[in-house]
């Protein structure tokens, strides 16, 4: 594994859309008891369900601490690879590498952004986070992938979505937040995204889901189904603060064109009714100074947009809500070529994210040039 000083754009690498073909999916085992209730056992069952659902479509690797190795190995089926690594929590979307591909040579590399626990000492969610900041490098090393490391640019994978065709969608709430890159202007942030994801256009939404503790990650409010087509978390309830946020996003998206000049087709994806933390759920979490507390009655940032697109399948969070069926029906319509699988995800939501946040795809690059031609060219 080499650390490269150039950029993916200069080297001909791009971040593919999640809907493109994957080599596999990475996850991290939950265990910290100040975020996951009751010794993280209910969350571990939920993570197993997600891993098993994804493993029907592509290989899954679960990263596990040495202390949890035996337990995780026992709870996970043997076709899920379990590897030891020390982490601070279990959000592979945000701490793992953003993989980029070279469509000519079929090579894959990792982008290793700086991770600071969603806002560092300004409004980060736990301290310290240095084990998490090493995860991308360790994954690249395990996979033998070269990496681009950005020491002066904080970003989490959940704060960007791409269409693989030149367009990035993100939110101002997150990328312009004071805890991430206050030394950079909006233009400098946009230029960095373009350079490291190989994009030509950034679409800026203002805000993410109401009360999202990540400062409004885009992956909880919007997702690409395919180039030119997105789902947007939605409510018709004008008394819900989510209404104004979703309406604002809709207005931005409907006026925009993407990098290829296409108007976007926007599908409204109704959020579940407000989900509040119960007394029992709150009491199951250890109180630790410096970690975001889980308080009874607090509203969780629930959204069906936080789903994972796998080879041949989509894995959707369910909440036992009246809108679960509506969401599943929309996904079946939008993904006729994939199997739609719902996983009950309240436990993941209680930790502050959802299925998309706990997964990271490793794309497969399909070379346009045959290997022998490459050898001949050297
Ligand atoms: O939304 C995500 N991508 C991660 C959520 C992290 C919450 C930490 N408590």
């Amino acid at each position: 594994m080499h650390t490269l000083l150039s950029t993916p754009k200069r080297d001909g690498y791009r971040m593919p859309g999640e809907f493109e073909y994957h080599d596999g999916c990475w996850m991290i085992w939950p265990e910290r008891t100040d975020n996951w209730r009751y010794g993280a056992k209910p969350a571990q069952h939920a993570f197993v369900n997600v891993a098993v659902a994804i493993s029907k479509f592509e290989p899954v690797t679960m990263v596990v601490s040495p202390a949890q190795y035996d337990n995780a190995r026992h709870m996970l089926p043997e076709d899920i690879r379990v590897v030891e690594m020390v982490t601070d929590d279990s959000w592979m979307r945000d701490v793992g590498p953003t993989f980029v591909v070279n469509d000519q040579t079929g090579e894959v590399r990792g982008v290793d952004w700086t991770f600071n626990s969603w806002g560092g000492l300004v409004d980060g969610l736990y301290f310290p986070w240095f084990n998490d900041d090493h995860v991308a490098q360790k994954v690249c090393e395990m996979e033998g992938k070269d990496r681009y490391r950005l020491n002066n640019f904080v970003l989490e994978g959940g704060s960007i979505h791409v269409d693989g065709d030149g367009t990035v969608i993100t939110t101002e709430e997150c990328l312009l937040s004071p805890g991430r890159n206050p030394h950079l202007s909006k233009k400098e942030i946009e230029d960095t995204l373009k350079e490291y994801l190989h994009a030509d256009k950034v679409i800026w939404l203002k805000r993410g889901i109401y009360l999202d503790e990540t400062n409004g990650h885009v992956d909880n409010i919007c997702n690409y189904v395919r180039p030119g087509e997105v789902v947007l978390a939605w409510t018709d309830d004008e008394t819900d603060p989510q209404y104004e946020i979703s309406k604002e996003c809709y207005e931005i998206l409907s006026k925009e064109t993407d990098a290829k000049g296409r108007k976007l087709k926007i599908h409204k994806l109704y959020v579940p009714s407000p989900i509040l933390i119960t007394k029992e759920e709150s009491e199951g979490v250890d109180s630790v100074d410096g970690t975001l507390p889980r308080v009874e009655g607090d509203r969780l940032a629930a959204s069906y947009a936080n789903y994972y697109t796998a080879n041949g399948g989509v894995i959707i969070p369910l909440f036992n809500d009246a809108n679960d069926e509506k969401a599943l029906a929309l996904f079946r319509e939008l993904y006729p070529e994939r199997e739609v699988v719902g996983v009950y995800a309240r436990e993941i939501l209680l930790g502050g994210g959802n299925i998309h946040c706990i997964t990271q795809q490793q794309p497969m690059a399909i070379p346009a040039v045959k290997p022998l031609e490459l050898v001949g060219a050297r």
Side-chain angles (χ1 to χ4, degrees), residues 263-316:
K263 294 290 283 179
L264 295 170
K265 195 166 175 185
I266 310 161
H267 302 278
K268 292 178 177 171
L269 179 58
Y270 284 82
V271 293
S273 325
I275 299 179
L276 312 183
I277 302 178
T278 65
K279 183 169 188 291
E280 196 213 355
E281 287 168 344
S282 164
E283 284 175 354
V285 179
D286 291 350
S287 288
V288 169
D289 277 351
T291 304
L292 189 76
R294 302 284 169 207
V295 180
E296 179 188 356
D298 277 0
R299 178 169 169 177
L300 295 161
S303 158
Y304 299 100
N306 207 308
Y307 65 96
Y308 181 73
T309 310
N311 296 338
V314 279
I315 319 301
I316 314 294

Side-chain angles (χ1 to χ4, degrees), residues 35 91 94 118 125 158 213-214 217 219 294 351-353 357:
N35 195 53
W91 307 97
D94 294 340
W118 307 275
L125 300 178
E213 64 196 52
T214 63
H217 271 186
D219 73 343
R294 302 284 169 207
C357 309

